[in-house]
Amino acid sequence: MINPDKAFDILLNSLNNEAEEIRISAIEALGNLFSEKAVDPLINLLNKDKNENIRYEAVFALSGILHRNHSEKVVDWFIHALKDEHPDVRERAIFTLGRIKSRKATEPLINLLTDEDDLIRSLAASALKKIGTPKALKVIEKYEMRMESKGIKE
């Protein structure tokens, strides 16, 4: 039987492999561990990796970890991911922040209601509804009225 610490180290080392498929498999495996120990290496990928597929997989893995183990550090990085240039990364970050009802994400999500991407705006509105703070709901009400006046149904 393989030592769990050794297996974890192998996965961490695989994050540096040149082959994208190996790196993605390592990210998925780390995410499936739901371990707080995987958070820093995954956040590091979000910060430094230029490959949008790698960043997306890192966000997806962190989403699973956050769902199991609420961590302010991970919430902060999901808020940071709202500014990622890759739309899939941003979408997953919005979805996750809404799912965990992160009050801390209210202002950054409100800012996304003016994003040029229709889907990003719609997801941000949905996340704010899930968060459900009085401020979020008031902003959503105004946002939906604006959309209705433009003939857009969110």
Side-chain angles (χ1 to χ4, degrees):
M1 180 174 218
I2 190 163
N3 177 322
D5 290 332
K6 176 90 171 150
F8 189 81
D9 289 342
I10 290 169
L11 290 173
L12 287 182
N13 287 333
S14 296
L15 295 177
N16 298 317
N17 195 293
E18 289 184 23
E20 180 179 312
E21 301 82 22
I22 291 174
R23 293 170 65 210
I24 287 174
S25 294
I27 293 166
E28 290 171 349
L30 287 169
N32 289 334
L33 294 175
F34 303 110
S35 171
E36 192 75 26
K37 288 182 359 182
V39 169
D40 286 333
L42 292 170
I43 286 174
N44 190 44
L45 287 175
L46 274 174
N47 285 334
K48 296 181 180 174
D49 206 292
K50 301 294 182 210
N51 183 319
E52 61 192 37
N53 295 328
I54 297 297
R55 286 197 319 277
Y56 175 76
E57 291 298 332
V59 166
F60 196 82
L62 283 167
S63 175
I65 293 169
L66 182 59
H67 188 66
R68 290 266 180 103
N69 308 311
H70 188 80
S71 162
E72 282 304 310
K73 180 191 286 188
V74 178
V75 170
D76 289 343
W77 286 109
F78 272 97
I79 291 170
H80 175 75
L82 294 174
K83 297 176 184 173
D84 195 277
E85 62 201 35
H86 190 272
D88 289 343
V89 171
R90 295 170 68 209
E91 291 166 16
R92 173 52 60 177
I94 295 166
F95 173 80
T96 300
L97 291 166
R99 184 180 70 192
I100 64 164
K101 299 178 181 175
S102 172
R103 291 173 175 252
K104 190 174 187 176
T106 301
E107 284 299 324
L109 288 168
I110 288 171
N111 293 336
L112 290 179
L113 294 175
T114 58
D115 194 273
E116 62 189 34
D117 185 320
D118 294 342
L119 181 57
I120 295 293
R121 287 194 312 269
S122 179
L123 290 172
S126 178
L128 287 164
K129 286 179 186 176
K130 288 178 184 173
I131 292 169
T133 62
K135 180 177 184 174
L137 295 176
K138 186 175 181 179
V139 168
I140 288 302
E141 184 179 335
K142 288 179 183 179
Y143 171 76
E144 288 177 343
M145 288 172 51
R146 253 192 348 263
M147 292 296 107
E148 281 181 29
S149 71
K150 292 180 181 181
I152 300 171
K153 181 93 168 122
E154 285 290 316

